[in-house]
Amino acid sequence: MDGDALAIWLFVAGWGWIILALAGSALYRRLHDKPIIPRAPAAALFVEKWASSLWANNCLLVAVTRELLLVTPRFPFTLLFLPEIYRLEHRIPIRSIRRVSRRQRAFSNNIIIRHGPDERQLRLRLRDPDGLIAVLAKLGVPTGEV
C-alpha cells in the first residue's frame, strides 16, 4: 500500500468511526427515551438553558416542574455518549430532594442539591440561582446557605 492510499484509508476510517459513534449514541438515546435535542417541559416552573456543572460548562438545560428537577445537556453534547460518561443527566423527583443550598464564591453562583436517601450531591452553577431556590422552596424543599 503506497502512502497516498494509506492516507485515504486512514481518513475514511477515522470519519467512519466518528459517524458510527454518533449514530450509535443517537440510537441509544432513542431506545432509552432520551431526547437528542432536549426542550424544557411545557409545565416548567423554572428553566435555565445554559447552566454548568463539574464536567459541563454552559451546556446544561435545568428545568423544574412540580414533580421533577431535570438536568440534561443541550445538543450536540447529548451525542457521543457524553451524558452517560460524565453523568450529565439527572431526573430527580422533588420529593427526594433533601436540601438545596447556595454556595457563594467569588465570581460564581453555585447551588448544591442533596437528594436521595444517601443525600447524593448535585452541584450546579446557574445565572439565576435565587430563581431556582425560590421555586424549590415553594415546592417544600428546605433551603439554606453553605
Side-chain angles (χ1 to χ4, degrees):
M1 184 180 288
D2 67 346
D4 288 341
L6 179 61
I8 291 170
W9 186 87
L10 289 174
F11 179 80
V12 170
W15 277 105
W17 178 251
I18 291 169
I19 291 168
L20 183 65
L22 286 168
S25 66
L27 179 63
Y28 175 86
R29 293 190 71 74
R30 287 289 180 209
L31 291 174
H32 290 88
D33 292 325
K34 296 180 176 184
I36 294 171
I37 302 175
R39 297 187 189 343
L45 305 172
F46 173 86
V47 176
E48 186 160 323
K49 295 183 178 179
W50 301 104
S52 301
S53 72
L54 180 62
W55 298 106
N57 190 23
N58 297 327
C59 66
L60 297 177
L61 171 69
V62 177
V64 177
T65 66
R66 292 197 176 280
E67 296 83 27
L68 289 171
L69 167 66
L70 305 166
V71 178
T72 188
R74 298 184 52 87
F75 180 82
F77 303 102
T78 53
L79 299 175
L80 295 175
F81 301 101
L82 294 175
E84 289 75 26
I85 293 168
Y86 295 107
R87 296 189 45 157
L88 299 177
E89 284 185 298
H90 301 275
R91 293 178 58 86
I92 303 169
I94 296 297
R95 68 181 179 278
S96 75
I97 298 176
R98 302 291 179 234
R99 182 174 198 76
V100 61
S101 13
R102 183 173 182 170
R103 185 173 190 168
Q104 189 84 26
R105 298 272 188 185
F107 308 112
S108 69
N109 291 309
N110 293 319
I111 298 291
I112 301 171
I113 299 165
R114 291 177 177 81
H115 62 94
D118 55 351
E119 293 203 16
R120 289 185 304 266
Q121 289 188 13
L122 172 62
R123 293 174 184 250
L124 297 170
R125 191 171 63 244
L126 304 168
R127 288 178 174 80
D128 183 18
D130 295 327
L132 177 66
I133 291 172
V135 167
L136 291 175
K138 285 181 186 176
L139 294 173
V141 175
T143 64
E145 293 284 327
V146 173

